[in-house]
Amino acid sequence: MAEKQKCSYCEEQSDKLRHPHIMGSIVVKICPTCWEVERNTHFGICGEDIGDF
């Protein structure tokens, strides 16, 4: 099982993290919940879907 790490956005512990879609930072990682928030925000602003987590 993967070790839990802290989401860079909400600071919740999660064993499922990935890098945000637009930030090229290797340090920032976000959880599925924050990904959905980013996804909806990006779609609302740009009309583009960044896809599933």
Side-chain angles (χ1 to χ4, degrees), residues 3-18 27-31:
E3 181 180 324
K4 289 191 174 192
Q5 297 177 342
K6 190 184 333 182
C7 173
S8 298
Y9 285 19
C10 69
E11 299 187 350
E12 293 291 324
Q13 296 290 322
S14 178
D15 57 350
K16 295 179 182 177
L17 295 174
R18 68 179 287 180
V27 193
V28 175
K29 290 188 178 178
I30 64 175
C31 67

Side-chain angles (χ1 to χ4, degrees), residues 22-37:
I22 53 174
M23 293 180 152
S25 174
I26 60 171
V27 193
V28 175
K29 290 188 178 178
I30 64 175
C31 67
T33 302
C34 289
W35 180 269
E36 285 302 312
V37 171

